[in-house]
Amino acid sequence: MNDKTIIETIDLTKVYGMGDASVAALDGVSIEVKAGEFLAIMGPSGSGKSTLMHILGCLSRPTSGQYILDGQDISNLSKKELALIRNQKLGFIFQAYNLLPRTTALRNVMMPLLYDHNHHISDEVGEQKALNMLELVGLADRTHHQPQELSGGQQQRVAIARALINDPVLIIADEPTGNLDSHSGHEILDLLRSLHQKGVTIVMVTHDPITAEYTQRVIHLADGKVDSIKHNGHKL
């Protein structure tokens, strides 16, 4: 981990509804995440963790406050501008994998490259990069398999390779082991930890304390506020 700040939020609020019917899903959340950090966000249902994840992932804008990502204040960007930031700077890992059916692992991993209209690379270069990512996650021998031919753990590895393909400054993992048995789940967490040890910055939303133990730091939310911060003691 180095001293560069990847995420800084300053008094983030997110209010849904209006007047007497308004609800503050986030109420003044200020956090920092350094480059190369592995962080977990936890909290009970209604704590605001999903809302915070959506803002950090540029899927939603705060009602007030600032969100600075990789040195750029993106709090008030348009939906189109946020979509560009998502594609250029972020990688996502979802509980449900979100792979395209009847599409090979290789093509699934390449999908973000196809949507990145600002960086035109040849299919040959893109394929080689996708192959490198699949090798990184231990799936070099599953390149031409479709999702239905892969186990849940293997599908999640494909999703992780896809998240890494654009060299993002931040990986956001939303309950990445939620659909997996305990053995496959631990394998995915070991993989995330190994990526973190290579310098990848990861923010993981989870409800599971055992999963959170794999990270360096755990931010607990309650009622839209930072309730506590726990350091797990893991170092690079």
Side-chain angles (χ1 to χ4, degrees):
M1 189 170 71
N2 61 44
D3 289 333
K4 181 181 179 182
T5 300
I6 296 297
I7 286 174
E8 183 180 9
T9 72
I10 304 169
D11 292 329
L12 277 191
T13 70
K14 182 67 175 181
V15 178
Y16 294 103
M18 297 178 65
D20 292 340
S22 65
V23 175
L26 294 179
D27 187 8
V29 171
S30 299
I31 64 171
E32 277 193 14
V33 180
K34 297 292 187 181
E37 188 171 6
F38 191 3
L39 173 80
I41 297 175
M42 296 189 70
S45 179
S47 64
K49 64 181 186 295
S50 293
T51 300
L52 179 58
M53 184 201 71
H54 278 95
I55 292 175
L56 296 182
C58 298
L59 298 164
S60 175
R61 286 176 292 191
T63 302
S64 65
Q66 286 181 281
Y67 174 26
I68 300 166
L69 174 65
D70 196 29
Q72 179 183 1
D73 188 342
I74 63 170
S75 314
N76 298 306
L77 295 186
S78 68
K79 289 183 178 180
K80 185 176 181 180
E81 290 168 327
L82 287 177
L84 191 62
I85 294 288
R86 281 199 305 273
N87 194 257
Q88 292 179 341
K89 291 182 178 286
L90 303 177
F92 292 90
I93 305 166
F94 300 101
Q95 177 175 338
Y97 323 134
N98 289 7
L99 301 179
L100 294 175
R102 298 180 298 282
T103 305
T104 65
L106 183 69
R107 297 298 292 180
N108 265 292
V109 173
M110 289 179 66
M111 287 309 296
L113 298 177
L114 304 179
Y115 288 116
D116 188 358
H117 302 301
N118 291 311
H119 295 88
H120 298 289
I121 64 173
S122 68
D123 284 349
E124 185 179 351
V125 172
E127 276 195 19
Q128 186 56 54
K129 193 168 187 183
L131 285 169
N132 293 343
M133 292 301 104
L134 285 167
E135 184 175 357
L136 181 66
V137 300
L139 286 181
D141 60 340
R142 295 289 188 271
T143 304
H144 299 294
H145 286 63
Q146 296 181 8
Q148 69 271 18
E149 300 171 311
L150 300 171
S151 69
Q154 289 171 335
Q155 289 184 62
Q156 192 62 296
R157 286 173 183 269
V158 173
I160 292 170
R162 180 185 58 194
L164 293 167
I165 192 76
N166 270 345
D167 304 311
V169 299
L170 173 67
I171 294 288
I172 295 179
D174 182 15
E175 301 281 6
T177 62
N179 280 359
L180 300 174
D181 60 62
S182 59
H183 176 73
S184 297
H186 287 306
E187 286 186 340
I188 291 300
L189 290 169
D190 284 336
L191 174 58
L192 292 177
R193 182 183 279 173
S194 73
L195 293 172
H196 153 61
Q197 290 169 344
K198 290 180 172 69
V200 178
T201 309
I202 305 171
V203 172
M204 177 172 65
V205 175
T206 181
H207 70 281
D208 181 12
I210 296 174
T211 297
E213 286 293 327
Y214 279 77
T215 68
Q216 291 176 298
R217 194 160 59 104
V218 184
I219 294 178
H220 286 266
L221 298 181
D223 299 322
K225 300 176 184 286
V226 175
D227 184 53
S228 66
I229 299 176
K230 175 189 174 186
H231 293 268
N232 285 333
H234 303 311
K235 296 181 180 179
L236 284 177

